[in-house]
Amino acid sequence: MASNPIATLRTWFDEGEHLVFLTGAGISTESGIPDFRSASGIYSRGVNTNVFDVGAFYQDPSLYYGFAREFCDITDRAEPNEAHQAIAALGQRPRKQVTVITQNIDDLHQRAGSDPVWCVHGNLEWSKCLSCGARLKTVELMDVIRRGEVPTHDCGGIFKPEVTFFGEMLPERDFSESQRAIAGADLLVVVGSSLTVYPAAGLPFGRSRKCRYVIINREPTDQDHSADLVIHSTAGDVLHAAVSHPAE
Ligand SMILES: [Zn+2]
């Protein structure tokens, strides 16, 4: 059956009613956003591996904001690619519920038009004052961040982006909605994730017996053996080919 994996995927997209996509950094690298752990990733470029460590942030927020100064410009300039667009296009089809769960902190799925998008590692869109809890769009802080300063609230507290740092709890609602969507899915597609960062990587274990499981990733993952279809390729090519063909 998997002699032509794209054709198989196309059929499963046509047949599925409750589709869930779990996406990682690999889907956004094609938009020019570097991942963190690969050979060409952010950590390999001399960026301190503690930039997303919550303890390090409380000790010295300028470590993160020095990094964010460049990273936010990259995410601002990035555009959704064929993979984001293909997933959003599936969501427009009649009688199909398409849920996106992403480990990414960019907003490319939202900008492509997907809804709902659950952000299990939070998102850069909002920032929160650590003293009084006031929330502000991160874009409103960008002038300060670009000047190389740490953004502070009127109350004197420091702003932290609503991104889940290492050492923090995952966003409760996004995570529980993700679990619920996967439990009810008849097709689960992992895209561009090496499935190594837990607990997000454990989400696929909550799928039902009737759920088909597809993994699209450039490199092998720890869960390839348990998937019904594995495609080691770039997400944009695969999803564009599988979605652009009109449904029978
Ligand atoms: Zn405050």
Side-chain angles (χ1 to χ4, degrees), residues 67-87:
F67 161 79
R69 193 178 177 182
E70 185 189 358
F71 188 71
C72 290
D73 275 341
I74 294 173
T75 57
D76 280 354
R77 277 199 305 269
E79 295 292 336
N81 61 53
E82 283 185 323
H84 300 101
Q85 285 158 358
I87 293 170

Side-chain angles (χ1 to χ4, degrees), residues 51-108:
V51 283
F52 287 109
D53 181 277
V54 73
F57 186 89
Y58 278 90
Q59 215 164 43
D60 180 11
S62 68
L63 174 69
Y64 166 77
Y65 280 110
F67 161 79
R69 193 178 177 182
E70 185 189 358
F71 188 71
C72 290
D73 275 341
I74 294 173
T75 57
D76 280 354
R77 277 199 305 269
E79 295 292 336
N81 61 53
E82 283 185 323
H84 300 101
Q85 285 158 358
I87 293 170
L90 276 175
Q92 298 298 317
R93 290 194 189 171
R95 297 178 303 283
K96 240 174 252 302
Q97 172 68 46
V98 177
T99 302
V100 175
I101 302 166
T102 189
Q103 299 171 278
N104 298 337
I105 57 176
D106 61 58
D107 60 354
L108 297 178

Side-chain angles (χ1 to χ4, degrees), residues 102-122:
T102 189
Q103 299 171 278
N104 298 337
I105 57 176
D106 61 58
D107 60 354
L108 297 178
H109 282 298
Q110 294 90 332
R111 280 161 54 195
S114 283
D115 185 34
V117 180
W118 302 114
C119 301
V120 288
H121 291 159

Side-chain angles (χ1 to χ4, degrees), residues 129-134 153-157 159:
C129 170
L130 291 176
S131 295
C132 73
H153 188 224
D154 295 341
C155 79
F159 277 107

Side-chain angles (χ1 to χ4, degrees), residues 22-23 101-104 118-122 164 169-171 174-176 178-179 200 203:
L22 171 60
T23 71
I101 302 166
T102 189
Q103 299 171 278
N104 298 337
W118 302 114
C119 301
V120 288
H121 291 159
T164 309
M169 298 288 287
L170 299 195
D174 288 72
F175 198 76
S176 61
S178 299
Q179 289 175 310
L203 282 167

